[in-house]
Amino acid sequence: MPSVSPVVRSPALRGRDAEQDILRRLVDGARGRSGGAMVLLGAPGTGKSAMLDFAVDQAEGFVVLRTRGVEAEAALPCAGLHGLLRPVMDRLPALPEAQAEVLARALDLGATGGGLALPASVLNLLAAVGRPVLACVDDVHHLDAPSREALFFAARRLAGERIVLLFGARDGGTAPEGIPELRLGSLDEDACRRLADDLAPEGLGAELRASLIEVSRGNPLALVELVGSLSAAQMAGAAAPPDTLPPGGRLWRAYADRLARLPAETGDLLLLLAADPDLDMAALVRAAEPACALTLLEPAERAGVVVSAAGDRHDFRDPAMRSVVYAEASAARRRAAHRLLASVLDHDHQRLRRAWHRAVSLDGPGERLADELAAAASAGSRGGYPAPWLAFERAAELTARGDVKAARLAAAAHRAWHAGLPQRARSLLTRLRSLTVSEETRGQAELIRGSLELRSGKTGSARDELLSAAGWLLDRDRGRAVRALLRASEASYLAGDSSRFLAIARQAAALRRPDDPAATQLMFEYLAGIAATFRGRHREAADPLRRVLELAPSVGNPSVLVWAGVASLLLGDDVQALRLSTRAVEAARVRGAVSAVPQVLEFMIQTEIWMGRYASVATNAVEGLRLAQESGQLNSAGQHLAWLALTSAVEGDEETCRIRAGGAIELAGAHGLGVAGALGNWALAHLDLAAGRHAGAAKRLRATARADGTNGHLVVRVMATPHLVEAAVRTGEHEQARAALRVLDRWAGSTRSPDRLALAARCHALLAAPGEAEERFRDALDLHHQGLCEFETARTQLLFGSVLRRNRRPGAAREHLHSALETFERSGARLWTEQARAELRGAGEAVRSRGHKAAEKLTAQQFQIARIVADGATNREVAARLYLSPRTVEHHLRNIFAKLDIRSRVELVRLLS
């Protein structure tokens, strides 16, 4: 029986688990006389050679033969066979005399003779080695034709042999007929992150890492070379990250060599494509006249350099090649290309691209080109090339006047931040230090710095910088000054510092004018409404909050839609709040406002929490966390991590909840994020409550009420009040429960929201005397049935059923407990499901689990992973869905298989079907 290679993942081959499994099976098959062959296809740098090395590592006990095709020897017949077979030529006497002679003459003299003699002798020599053989041929496309054809002949005839033949070939071609192919594509994002962490054990900032991954386009060699090229300033975040491959690196040289083989006219056309990524075929045809653009592109298409793309365009097969094409061209050729593009992009909607190409080619006086480019960038551009920040940066480079240059750099920094490029924004702001800066521009720069700090730094520092910016801007740009005050108040909100928030709100209120435009009025009304809410004056808050909703349609901005959504939430209209926050997310995406999407998702999630839509919360929080990490917004990442912890608590997944909550609380401590810390503690308290650990839940929830901003937050405290009241009642702390309930009562009573009023009624039922509790619970359920949140309805039914059971009314109890159980099972809330079943058993009913027997053997997270895998998801897909690493998923799957006594995914599907 053949031995099986141990399953060992190579740390150098991140994201190639499936490909490694294929090669491992191929090698293991050859041990049992079931040989085979495979052609590995991939672009330069995708890891073909590394995969061949991996196969060699698996081939213990094999005779390993290796060679590489060399272009300089492609015209030497049998040079490839000579390099591959020399180590086993001592086995030549084992061949029939005629074959031995043919092979000897081929390797000594390059004589092929034609026919079957040479290919057959190669196959027979490999079979005569006496041990399993692994033969690896890299860059087979450079191998001489006789060697290549002889090896392909052998590769098709390995059934029953102890031989594996592996070939590495560049992408753009196809495998020879009859030989399986394995294409190595780009690494996925998770694999890139893990590879980047391997390459920089001291750690890369999330924002820098995301930027490098974007440039690498999933090419492992590109990522290796990019990390290796980083300067100390780039590592520290003081300089912008690289935006092209390192010139002169292995990958750069590979692309440059490939391009050098193309005709000069084709190279000229490729330069046009490199200079303008949005170039369509109509413009390319005009630029190529009188020649035919399609004819000129044919050599590049045959070489696999370019491919047809959507929108009647051609694009580079590997996006990294664009920068190589552009940089390898001389300055004169690049300038001529830009001038030509400016002349053919003559439509009104191409104004920014035309101005860009004129500015890059210096087609006129620098100041005039700068003014033209800045005006075009200011006119607005949603997506496309060039990005507005890039246009403003170029305009600044062409501007001689110090104050105007500074203003354009500030505009570039603002748009870079807007596009989700905070490190680029910081780099642009750094260049202002050596310039003459006007008071207005200084204020704008302070506003950008404060906004950057607000999303990724310490909330206290952000508040101070934004207040400073408001002071600079007040007499120069009133609208921006008020926005700076609003962001300063947001810093206090994130910190959980209500007193500072109220102080800023008072400062803003003193600045109001009756003639303020609608956008400015809206910001004042929003601050006034939130401030009144924080003071507990909910009826006073209602008028400004409704005014926000009235003004919002006149200001088309994602932030305004978020403010309107918050106003709706505070007024108790969850449906409208969800509709507005959904529109805000869509608007941010349409505008390319990458930096805004994580914050907008935060408020959407808050609405969904009130509605009990935990599955949607998990989906949105995973996306928000990913986007926040990619754009370096650690403060937003903390909130999304905490929301994910809460969904894990609802599911009863203790391990994942603690990991996520711990991460959120750690970030909260480092950045002064009271809201993230409070959310993390709420998630852990929910977990304790669901598990029956009432004292632990009460202790954690008391922490959310701290006024010093240390993991405390007023909003989270109110949201968590129903949990606090339940935990406090169970531990005999009735006065604490009543004090918390008074705050919830004031707000819920002002909203007329059935869901809020139902929660308050449930709390009153828990605190009521024995003779009153049942009626209070019925009132709560009547309100729940008018609302939207099924999950909290089930929680009330569970509590009411428990009271009825203790009051010796088991029949009435079972009715409510059954309804609660159905909702909890449907929601996948394992711990709450167990509580409902325990209560039903206490009410005299033998409860059968509606879940699968496998669920009884697995933890909540293991069963969740098992279900997703059984639906056909890969480890990577499971990891992305649950925000785990593929390695963690793999670890869980091994434990799942062991607990269920199964050995394959097929058996898992059968078991769970």
Side-chain angles (χ1 to χ4, degrees), residues 281-302:
M281 184 52 66
L284 192 63
V285 167
R286 289 182 60 193
E289 291 176 345
C292 174
L294 292 175
T295 302
L296 294 180
L297 280 176
E298 282 181 0
E301 289 182 291
R302 285 196 300 270

Side-chain angles (χ1 to χ4, degrees), residues 2 27 64 176 196 329 388 429 505 549 562 626 653 663 721 780 795 807 822 840 853 856 865 878:
V27 171
V64 176
L429 290 174
L549 293 173
V562 166
R626 177 181 62 81
D653 184 348
T721 294
R795 294 249 296 113
N807 290 347
E822 288 176 6
L840 276 167
K853 290 182 179 179
E856 299 172 6
I865 290 171
V878 176

Side-chain angles (χ1 to χ4, degrees), residues 593-615:
V594 177
S595 64
V597 175
Q599 291 96 57
V600 178
L601 284 171
E602 290 168 20
F603 293 101
M604 176 186 280
I605 288 168
Q606 192 169 338
T607 301
E608 291 175 328
I609 290 289
W610 280 110
M611 300 172 79
R613 299 174 47 154
Y614 290 106

